[in-house]
């Protein structure tokens, strides 16, 4: 297992996250290698009636999960959730959350556990008969997208004794939903996206295509079908995630150097993209991590 202390990319204000939640990551397993990046489990126990909204800048991936349904926001003029003592536990749902193109948030309440799989960029396409972009910025029941028996899946996860057993239930379910004829192209996209994530010398789609041994047009077509977003978008998202991760300990950062390392033409472009994605300037975000 890998904890958020080792990799907090995608979690805005990770120190605040650690005060409220426990996050563990579990391996994909052989059958889902290249299709699922990892399984993740978040547990929380907030004070009775309290809610918390966690801001996120997600990886260029989809998430498939079983979790308590997000509590609704109170209509204006009604009591805030923390003032109510008669709240019922929200129902548990099984859902697919497609690639989120912008910053997002998740509102949680009470006690709960979320058991999830994060696909690789491209991995989602191996579970679908339609382009992955169909689900961009959308959340739908798993059964709608994959044809799963969601009631049975929820029941089996809730009955599992521990975290690893719950993950095993979701893993078996997803293994049964893989479309074998789509796994090859999906893994090709995932391998290219892995290069985009880890090789800082790759700054343009032409370089990524060359390193992947394919043409730009072919790479763009595969990404559109299996990842739901373009190779250029994936490159940019990973750069922003790296920039946010570089300040997660609140240490001084030379942003001009970071901009160069991440392939930006200048610091101003990094600051602009970072501020739009995270909601604050790099300097303000770094300062907040130190508090």
């Amino acid at each position: 297992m890998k904890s958020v202390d080792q990799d907090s990319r995608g979690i805005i204000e990770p120190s605040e996250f650690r005060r409220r939640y426990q996050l563990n990551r579990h391996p994909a397993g052989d059958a889902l290698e290249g299709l699922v990046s990892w399984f993740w489990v978040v547990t929380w126990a907030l004070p009775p009636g309290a809610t918390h909204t966690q801001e996120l800048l997600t990886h260029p991936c989809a998430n498939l999960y079983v979790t308590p349904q997000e509590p609704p926001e109170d209509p204006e003029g009604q009591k805030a959730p923390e003032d109510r003592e008669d709240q019922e536990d929200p129902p548990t749902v099984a859902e697919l959350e497609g690639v989120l193109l912008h910053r997002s948030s998740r509102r949680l309440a009470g006690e709960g556990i979320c058991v999830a799989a994060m696909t690789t960029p491209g991995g989602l396409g191996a579970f679908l008969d339609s382009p992955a972009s169909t689900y961009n910025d959308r959340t739908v029941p798993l059964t709608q997208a994959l044809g799963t028996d969601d009631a049975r899946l929820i029941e089996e996860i809730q009955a599992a004794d521990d975290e690893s057993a719950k993950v095993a239930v979701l893993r078996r379910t997803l293994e049964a939903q893989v479309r074998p004829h789509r796994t090859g192209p999906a893994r090709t996209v995932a391998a290219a996206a892995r290069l985009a994530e880890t090789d800082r010398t790759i700054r343009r789609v032409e370089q990524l295509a060359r390193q992947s041994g394919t043409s730009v047009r072919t790479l763009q077509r595969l990404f559109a079908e299996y990842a739901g977003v373009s190779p250029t978008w994936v490159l940019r998202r990973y750069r922003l995630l790296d920039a946010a991760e570089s300040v997660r300990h609140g240490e001084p950062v030379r942003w001009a150097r970071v901009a160069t390392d991440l392939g930006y033409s200048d610091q101003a472009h990094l600051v602009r993209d970072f501020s739009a994605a995270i909601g604050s300037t790099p300097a303000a975000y770094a300062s907040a991590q130190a508090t």
Side-chain angles (χ1 to χ4, degrees), residues 1-28:
M1 295 187 297
K2 194 173 185 180
S3 75
V4 70
D5 293 314
Q6 297 166 290
D7 184 356
S8 64
R9 289 178 302 165
I11 301 171
I12 299 176
E13 303 288 355
S15 59
E16 186 71 15
F17 180 95
R18 286 192 295 269
R19 283 196 285 269
R20 288 180 166 87
Y21 312 111
Q22 175 68 43
L23 167 64
N24 291 316
R25 298 186 175 107
H26 300 253

Side-chain angles (χ1 to χ4, degrees), residues 65-239:
Y65 51 73
V66 172
T67 188
Q69 190 173 60
E70 188 173 7
E73 294 186 23
D74 278 10
E76 187 175 354
Q78 293 189 10
K79 284 185 177 182
E82 58 268 22
D83 295 329
R84 295 206 304 259
E85 299 179 355
D86 58 346
Q87 295 184 91
E88 296 182 357
D89 293 334
T92 298
V93 295
E95 295 179 327
L96 181 153
E97 180 185 77
V99 176
L100 301 179
L101 305 181
H102 307 285
R103 183 176 50 157
S104 64
S105 63
R106 186 74 180 176
R107 191 167 56 260
L108 302 174
E111 298 183 9
I113 180 170
C114 175
V115 182
M118 187 178 83
T119 70
T120 58
L124 178 60
F127 299 96
L128 305 174
D129 295 317
S130 58
S133 58
T134 302
Y135 299 101
N136 285 357
D137 281 332
R138 293 179 61 199
T139 300
V140 301
L142 271 183
T143 188
Q144 178 179 326
L146 275 62
T148 51
D149 183 343
D150 290 356
R152 179 177 179 180
L153 173 61
I154 292 169
E155 182 180 358
E156 290 183 356
I157 285 181
Q158 290 178 331
D161 292 334
D162 56 32
E163 184 174 302
S164 294
K166 293 178 187 296
V167 168
V169 171
L170 183 56
R171 183 183 288 115
R172 289 194 301 270
T173 299
L174 296 184
E175 288 173 354
Q177 299 304 319
V178 170
R179 276 59 166 171
H181 66 286
R182 290 174 64 88
T183 57
R187 288 189 168 107
T188 295
V189 172
R194 182 63 176 167
L195 285 173
E197 178 184 8
T198 58
D199 189 341
R200 295 286 185 82
T201 68
I202 298 176
R203 301 177 181 180
R204 300 188 306 276
V205 66
E206 293 82 4
Q207 294 172 293
L208 184 59
R210 186 165 56 250
Q211 292 280 7
S212 302
T214 188
S215 68
V216 170
R217 180 173 297 182
T218 296
L219 196 65
Q220 290 172 332
R221 176 179 58 80
L222 288 173
F223 267 72
E225 176 70 20
Y226 290 89
V229 289
S230 71
T232 298
W233 191 91
V234 170
L235 278 164
R236 181 172 297 177
R237 175 53 62 94
Y238 276 130
R239 288 172 182 173

